[in-house]
Structure formats: C-alpha cells, structure tokens
Amino acid sequence: VAERGSGIPVVVAGLGDVGRAIARSVLETPELRLVAAADPAPGLAGRKLESILNAPCPDLTVASDLAKAFAAAQGGVLLQATRSSFEAVRPQIEQAVRAGLSVASTCEELAYPWLRHEAQADALDRLCEKSDVAVVGTGVNPGFALDRLPALLSQMTGRVRHIDAVRVVDANARRPALQRKVGAGLSEEAFQAAVERGEVGHVGLAESVALAALGCGLEVDEVDEELEPVIAARDLATAVPVREGAVAGVRHLARGYADGREVVRLELVLVAGAEHPRDEVRLDADPPLRISIPGGVPGDEATAWAVVHAATALPMLRGLVTVLDLPPGR
Amino acid sequence: VAERGSGIPVVVAGLGDVGRAIARSVLETPELRLVAAADPAPGLAGRKLESILNAPCPDLTVASDLAKAFAAAQGGVLLQATRSSFEAVRPQIEQAVRAGLSVASTCEELAYPWLRHEAQADALDRLCEKSDVAVVGTGVNPGFALDRLPALLSQMTGRVRHIDAVRVVDANARRPALQRKVGAGLSEEAFQAAVERGEVGHVGLAESVALAALGCGLEVDEVDEELEPVIAARDLATAVPVREGAVAGVRHLARGYADGREVVRLELVLVAGAEHPRDEVRLDADPPLRISIPGGVPGDEATAWAVVHAATALPMLRGLVTVLDLPPGR
C-alpha cells in the first residue's frame, strides 16, 4: 500500500489494544497520514505493522527507535498510548516536542497534570511554547464522560453549585485486561493487597474532578479519593469467573472541595456484570440539568477516536492544554 | 446600586422574556458589567431597568438610542434578544460591530447564517475582522441540543454515517407566548393559515442541520423542512385550553442530505401536554452513541445563560463564528 502524500504526519507510540485502535483510526482519517509506529515490546518491535493491525496499511515496520520516527514526522503529531503516569510518559513527550511534534496521549494523569505535577507541567508547557507545538491528554475517562461533558452542559446554566457524575462500566463487556484491572475474582484480602501494589484501580478520576471543576467555573482546593471492592452477591459466569463473596470489581469515588464544602462528586463503578452501564451527569444549578448516555461511551474504541480527533485540532493550539481547549466539533 | 468598576461592559438589546433573563444573568456574572439596556417598545423605553427586571441592578434607564449605549460599551459585548430573522437583526449587529462591540445573539438564523444569507454573512464576517470583534448566534435550539451536543459526541466516534436528534417540548410548561407560537387551540385550517403567515412554527431547525453536519464532519448539500400540526386526542386543560380535535402543537422535521442520501434528521415536537419531554441524540457511527437529557434543556432560561457565557468567550475570538468555535467550558 502506497503512503498517502498529504495529511498531518502521525507517529503512534504503544501498540497495545488502544494503540492498535488508534493506528487503525488514523488509517480511516483522511486528514492524517501514518508515517511510523513504535513499541519496544519484544513481540512487536521489528514486525510488519500490517500483521499487527489486521488492516491494510502503509508498508511500515514497528520501530523501537523513536528519534528516527520523530524525524520522519516533524511538524506532525505523536499519538501516545503507553502509560498512565505523567512521569512515565514525560521523557517520550519531551523528546517529541523537542523534535517539533505535537502530542495527543491517553496518559490519564496528563488530562490535568497540574494536579499532581505542577512544576513539571509548567515546564512542559514552556517547552511546548518554545517548540511551537501543543500537548494534550485525552480519552473517554478522563477526557469526556466525567469532565468535558459536564463542562459543556454548564454552558447552559448559571453558577454551578455541585457536579455529580457517575460512570458504570460492565467490566465483563470489555477486554479481559480490564477485568483483571478491577480485581474481578480476587478475595477481599488479595484485592486490598493488589490495590496497595497499584495493580488494581483506575488512574485519572481525581484529574477529572479538577477538569470538571475548571470547565464548570468552580474552584476546588482539595481532592480526595476512595477505592472499595464490590462483592459478588452470586456466582458470575463472566470472562474471568467470579464466585459469590469474591470481588466482582471496584467502586472508585473522587471528590473535590471548596472551603471544605463538597462541590464535585465523581463515581466510577467498574464491575463484572454491572447493571445499567451508563454515563450520567447532574449539575445542581439554575436550571438544574441532567444528561445520560445509556450503555456508556465504550472506553477503548472511543478513546482511540478522541486521540485521533485531537490530532487534527492540535496544529491550531500551543502549549500544554486540556480537552477544554479542544474545539467541540470537527 | 453602584456600578461595578471591572468586567466586560455589556449592553442588552431586547427586554422580552429572554432579554430580561439575559440581563438578570449578566448581573450574576462577575466577569460582566451591565452598562446599558435597550428596547424601543413604548412600555419599556424610558423606564427604570430595575422595575422591569425585579432584581437589584445598576441605576439604568431603558434606552431606545443604541448609538449612545454602544459608545458606553466600546470593547464590550452586545447581547441581543430581539428577532429570529438575520435580515431583521443585521442592522443593529453591524452598528454594534462598527462601534467596536462583539455580539452574542439569540437570533436563530444567526446560528448558521450562511445557510440562507451567504453573501451577507460573508460581508458581516469581513466587517468583524475589520473591527477586530466576534459575532455569534447561540442558544439552546439552535445552538446546543440539536447541534453542539451531537458535535461534541462525535469527538468520541469514527466517521458519522447519520445524525438523528429529537427535541420534545411540553409547550404548556413554557410561557404562554410559546403555546401560541405552536398553534395550540387552533383548528387545522387556522393552523395552516397561521403557518402561511409565518405566525406558527420554529426558526432555526434547518440551521441546526447545517451546524450538526459541520460539527460531525458531514457534508450536506441539501436541507428540507416539514411542518405539521399535532392534533389533540382529548381535551387538554392547558394554559391555552385545547379541545379534542384541535391543534395541540407542531411537529417540525428538518433533514440534511449528501448526494441524495439523508445524513441528518432533526425533529422538534412542540406540543401542549407533550409526553416525555427530552433532548436526544443518536449517532450512527463506530461506536454508535446515544445521549439523552430527560426533561430537555429548558429553553428560555438556558438560552439566556448560553448568551451570557458566550459573552465571556467572544473577546478571544474574531469574525462571524458559530457555537462550534466557542470553548466547551468556562
């Protein structure tokens, strides 16, 4: 397959489930041109990209050397789907920015990096300005269901007194990796140990609190988080089988406060066999507003598209930005 | 009440129900400063603004002379809630733009003026650029429920094959003027005559088709509209009483086509006593997405806030823009 000659040059870093979905989405987007894909994993580096994507694509070999890939995409965009931690993704992002690429990343902490890494975020912002490029962390959660959506809704109301949003995901309907990530099948003791090792739980909910507050015009001076197991009330014939009394998933709560008063409450329920999966936002304001996405926005597939659409908008932006800086349409 | 010394200076033109709601919302918004209000209607011009708003406000008299009001607000924003037709509002907008004001207006045709008035819209765009200001038409419908909302949702999907959105409003829950606007209580013959006189029906649905298509990345080369009465199946004890067999309201359909294929279908149901009032959007795409606002966004109150929030964003924009150019948060 010949490379298309026009479009914004794009490098995809990370070829896990989401990275592959991103690469396939890039191939469907006429404004973008896939010029390189990279993943250092032993089973991926050196292989033909086409064999990994199961989709017709340019004749590319999966790279492990990003410097070369970035040189081929100067003035373009890095689409990064690797890690959840800002510190883990920062070296690669800085390398891309220095090479003159903008970056759209699924890194959850990057959705609002000032929350946990203020000085490093400010430094990255300055580096972006210097290189005349933009960096954004985006996706469904964080990046849409619990932050960008309440922000848009708040355009239709007066002062927002309180944001209440919930995302319920049936982990069984998603890839097995997610079911393990929510601790399905573990005993309560094993669950708590896995939480302490950082193997169970979701990154980005506190970032969504900060983003939702910012987008709705609220000032939050404190954010706290709670994580608790959801216990199966009966045996579940899910992809990872869950016995009655074992952990079926996780309930994650993040709250934002202003002067000690709760003003944001975000709840994420990731449970195998969860009933009524949905995204739902309630704004306590005049007028009060409620919005609901029955079934919920599907995480991986929609996250890939969020990243790809961000790539088409980034050339118009500068600095380290958030999804609140992205245009609401295409 | 003393004027606040800071904030963007704002003039409100039109003090009907929506204009008054806008003025009250401006008073609640610290970023804005109400410096003048104008309405040439005999019962309004010359009166104290406070007596019309029933709210504490700066000591202002309702003006009929806009030139003076604009001079007092140079570098600020005109919030206009007067007419639905672009040609009807254009002289006042041009006057404001020439005086150095940006404009946010409830004018329905202004939501996407290129649809019916391409040359005049382009001329207004050039005038805005020359005066270094921005003009936008915004509100709930058009401006949010059937256009900006599907656009945001499409950020989470691949190519959109079809947009299907419906807004159902219980006209009885709204001001009596709306119930008359939908023809409630008329015979079918009187309804058709009122439609032909332009007294019944909604302006802006075709503009929403164009905006929704633009925001979802669809090209539409043709838009058509249909308007039909909804007949009461029983007597309705609504604000304007409706007998069985009389008109209870209106069903308005607007469709957009690409190469003869329907790609956008927007339906607006404005009926006294309508069941399940709501806003609902469905995108036929991968992944398919549906979003719903039970009860629907309340038209007048939310339109006022949409205009007021646009006022805070306009100083960062230039030209004749659409709601798709407004930031999704505050």
Side-chain angles (χ1 to χ4, degrees), chain A residues 28 138-140 143-144 148-149 151-160 214-217 286-294 296-298 301-303 305-307 309-310 323-330, chain B residues 28 138-140 143-144 148-149 151-160 214-217 286-294 296-298 301-303 305-307 309-310 323-330:
Chain A
E28 290 178 34
T138 186
V140 172
F144 183 77
R148 201 175 352 169
L149 189 58
L152 183 71
L153 202 59
S154 84
Q155 290 279 316
M156 299 292 119
T157 70
R159 190 174 70 82
V160 175
L214 182 68
C216 291
D286 300 314
L289 289 173
R290 177 159 73 93
I291 198 161
S292 177
I293 301 180
V297 176
E301 199 181 355
T303 289
W305 281 111
V307 168
H309 293 311
V323 290
L324 300 177
D325 298 298
L326 298 176
R330 294 190 184 178
Chain B
E28 291 179 35
T138 186
V140 172
F144 183 77
R148 202 175 352 168
L149 189 57
L152 183 72
L153 201 59
S154 84
Q155 290 280 315
M156 299 293 119
T157 69
R159 191 174 69 83
V160 175
L214 182 67
C216 292
D286 300 312
L289 289 172
R290 176 159 74 93
I291 198 162
S292 177
I293 301 180
V297 177
E301 200 180 355
T303 289
W305 281 111
V307 168
H309 293 311
V323 290
L324 301 176
D325 298 297
L326 298 177
R330 293 188 184 180

Side-chain angles (χ1 to χ4, degrees), chain B residues 143-212:
Chain B
F144 183 77
L146 302 177
D147 37 47
R148 202 175 352 168
L149 189 57
L152 183 72
L153 201 59
S154 84
Q155 290 280 315
M156 299 293 119
T157 69
R159 191 174 69 83
V160 175
R161 291 180 289 266
H162 188 267
I163 306 164
D164 185 351
V166 60
R167 176 167 166 85
V168 178
V169 176
D170 175 4
N172 191 38
R174 298 274 299 272
R175 57 196 156 98
L178 182 71
Q179 234 186 301
R180 283 191 296 273
K181 193 181 123 186
V182 306
L186 299 180
S187 69
E188 278 197 67
E189 294 71 25
F191 177 91
Q192 296 298 356
V195 169
E196 276 162 36
R197 287 195 307 272
E199 293 170 8
V200 159
H202 170 79
V203 177
L205 202 61
E207 281 75 8
S208 282
V209 168
L211 267 179

Side-chain angles (χ1 to χ4, degrees), chain B residues 89 307 312:
Chain B
V89 301
V307 168
T312 65

Side-chain angles (χ1 to χ4, degrees), chain A residues 25-90:
Chain A
S25 299
V26 169
L27 295 171
E28 290 178 34
T29 304
E31 296 89 341
L32 303 179
R33 180 166 52 98
L34 187 62
V35 298
D39 196 311
L44 295 171
R47 280 177 62 191
K48 284 283 177 194
L49 184 62
E50 190 162 11
S51 71
I52 294 166
L53 297 186
N54 294 319
C57 75
D59 183 22
L60 295 172
T61 302
V62 177
S64 50
D65 175 10
L66 281 163
K68 209 171 137 192
F70 291 160
Q74 208 190 346
V77 183
L78 166 66
L79 304 185
Q80 181 192 55
T82 55
R83 307 281 294 278
S84 298
S85 132
F86 179 66
E87 284 305 312
V89 301
R90 193 158 64 97

